[in-house]
Amino acid sequence: MDCLKFWPLPECGINGDCVEDNNGTRFCQCNSGFSQTLELNYFVEEEDLQSSICIYHEDAVNGLYVCLIVVIVLSSFLIVVNIERTSQMFRTLPFIIFSVFLFGVSIYRLVNPQALFGKDFAFTFCLTLTAPLSQIQGYIFTTKYLYYMARKIELNEHKTFFSSRRERKKVIFVYYYFKFLFDAMLMDFFA
């Protein structure tokens, strides 16, 4: 099989060279530190992986997962420390579950580098669950903030930093517009 090429990049990508062995078979020889992977690589079968582009750097991927773990731990700590009532805990529950899944996925990937997205069921399943949880938490935070802004304008009709009635209407319109938009997205997502 010939070396894989994606236009406008050369064969094997910018991190490898297409070489030919003694039998006349062409394969990609990757630069040091880079390799081929089956993760998110749906256009090459496993037996033809040696002719795929060189895009995977194990140290960079591990570094990203370590950074992700640090961010998850810090953000979760800051949110959990500021919880004062049980209602706040229930509002942040999707974020806490999201953090637990993402932390688990990151640790699992660091411990088992062969856990590839699309190949390892547990890794793929847990990583896929984080997407709707982050969407739900974004929806909760956005609606709470927009509700707060709309209430602030209604309660402080005369004492507000919005100088005109037109500006107050704009903020209220934006609140209801985004609320409708997020509600429609969630209904489409769960339909």
Short mmCIF file of all heavy atoms in Angstrom, two decimals, residues 19 32 38 95 110 117 133 136 152 161 174 188:
data_model
loop_
_atom_site.label_atom_id
_atom_site.label_comp_id
_atom_site.label_asym_id
_atom_site.label_seq_id
_atom_site.Cartn_x
_atom_site.Cartn_y
_atom_site.Cartn_z
N VAL A 19 9.26 5.92 2.93
CA VAL A 19 10.45 5.18 2.51
C VAL A 19 10.02 3.84 1.92
O VAL A 19 8.90 3.38 2.13
CB VAL A 19 11.44 4.96 3.68
CG1 VAL A 19 11.98 6.28 4.17
CG2 VAL A 19 10.79 4.20 4.80
N SER A 32 11.64 11.16 15.24
CA SER A 32 11.73 10.71 16.63
C SER A 32 10.65 11.36 17.48
O SER A 32 10.40 12.56 17.38
CB SER A 32 13.11 11.02 17.21
OG SER A 32 13.29 12.42 17.28
N LEU A 38 -4.13 4.50 15.94
CA LEU A 38 -5.48 4.16 15.47
C LEU A 38 -6.53 5.07 16.11
O LEU A 38 -7.70 4.99 15.76
CB LEU A 38 -5.80 2.70 15.80
CG LEU A 38 -5.06 1.67 14.96
CD1 LEU A 38 -5.35 0.27 15.48
CD2 LEU A 38 -5.47 1.78 13.51
N PHE A 95 -21.70 19.32 36.85
CA PHE A 95 -20.28 19.64 36.75
C PHE A 95 -19.44 18.69 37.57
O PHE A 95 -18.36 18.27 37.15
CB PHE A 95 -20.01 21.08 37.17
CG PHE A 95 -18.55 21.43 37.10
CD1 PHE A 95 -17.96 21.70 35.88
CD2 PHE A 95 -17.77 21.45 38.24
CE1 PHE A 95 -16.62 22.00 35.80
CE2 PHE A 95 -16.43 21.75 38.17
CZ PHE A 95 -15.85 22.02 36.95
N LEU A 110 -3.65 7.79 31.19
CA LEU A 110 -2.25 7.87 31.59
C LEU A 110 -1.71 6.51 32.03
O LEU A 110 -0.56 6.18 31.77
CB LEU A 110 -2.07 8.89 32.72
CG LEU A 110 -2.18 10.36 32.32
CD1 LEU A 110 -2.15 11.24 33.54
CD2 LEU A 110 -1.07 10.73 31.35
N PHE A 117 -9.43 6.23 21.86
CA PHE A 117 -10.80 6.63 21.58
C PHE A 117 -11.27 5.91 20.31
O PHE A 117 -10.65 5.97 19.28
CB PHE A 117 -10.90 8.14 21.38
CG PHE A 117 -12.30 8.63 21.23
CD1 PHE A 117 -13.10 8.78 22.33
CD2 PHE A 117 -12.81 8.92 19.99
CE1 PHE A 117 -14.40 9.24 22.21
CE2 PHE A 117 -14.11 9.36 19.84
CZ PHE A 117 -14.91 9.52 20.96
N LEU A 133 -22.76 16.23 29.62
CA LEU A 133 -22.69 16.81 30.95
C LEU A 133 -22.13 18.22 30.92
O LEU A 133 -22.61 19.11 31.64
CB LEU A 133 -21.86 15.92 31.88
CG LEU A 133 -22.51 14.59 32.26
CD1 LEU A 133 -21.51 13.72 32.99
CD2 LEU A 133 -23.73 14.82 33.11
N ILE A 136 -24.91 20.47 29.57
CA ILE A 136 -25.95 20.73 30.57
C ILE A 136 -25.45 21.76 31.58
O ILE A 136 -26.17 22.69 31.95
CB ILE A 136 -26.37 19.43 31.26
CG1 ILE A 136 -27.13 18.53 30.29
CG2 ILE A 136 -27.22 19.70 32.50
CD1 ILE A 136 -27.36 17.12 30.80
N LYS A 152 -32.05 41.72 37.84
CA LYS A 152 -31.38 42.94 38.28
C LYS A 152 -31.98 44.16 37.57
O LYS A 152 -32.18 45.20 38.19
CB LYS A 152 -29.89 42.84 37.99
CG LYS A 152 -29.09 44.02 38.47
CD LYS A 152 -27.62 43.80 38.22
CE LYS A 152 -26.84 44.98 38.73
NZ LYS A 152 -25.42 44.81 38.53
N PHE A 161 -27.26 50.38 35.70
CA PHE A 161 -26.23 50.91 34.81
C PHE A 161 -26.71 50.95 33.37
O PHE A 161 -26.05 51.50 32.52
CB PHE A 161 -24.93 50.11 34.94
CG PHE A 161 -25.08 48.65 34.65
CD1 PHE A 161 -24.92 48.15 33.37
CD2 PHE A 161 -25.35 47.76 35.68
CE1 PHE A 161 -25.05 46.81 33.12
CE2 PHE A 161 -25.48 46.41 35.43
CZ PHE A 161 -25.33 45.93 34.16
N VAL A 174 -32.20 39.17 25.07
CA VAL A 174 -31.07 38.24 24.97
C VAL A 174 -31.27 37.07 25.92
O VAL A 174 -31.02 35.91 25.57
CB VAL A 174 -29.74 38.97 25.24
CG1 VAL A 174 -28.60 38.00 25.46
CG2 VAL A 174 -29.42 39.92 24.12
N ASP A 188 -33.35 18.82 21.26
CA ASP A 188 -32.83 18.10 20.09
C ASP A 188 -31.82 17.06 20.52
O ASP A 188 -31.73 15.99 19.94
CB ASP A 188 -32.20 19.08 19.10
CG ASP A 188 -33.22 19.87 18.34
OD1 ASP A 188 -34.42 19.49 18.37
OD2 ASP A 188 -32.84 20.89 17.72
#
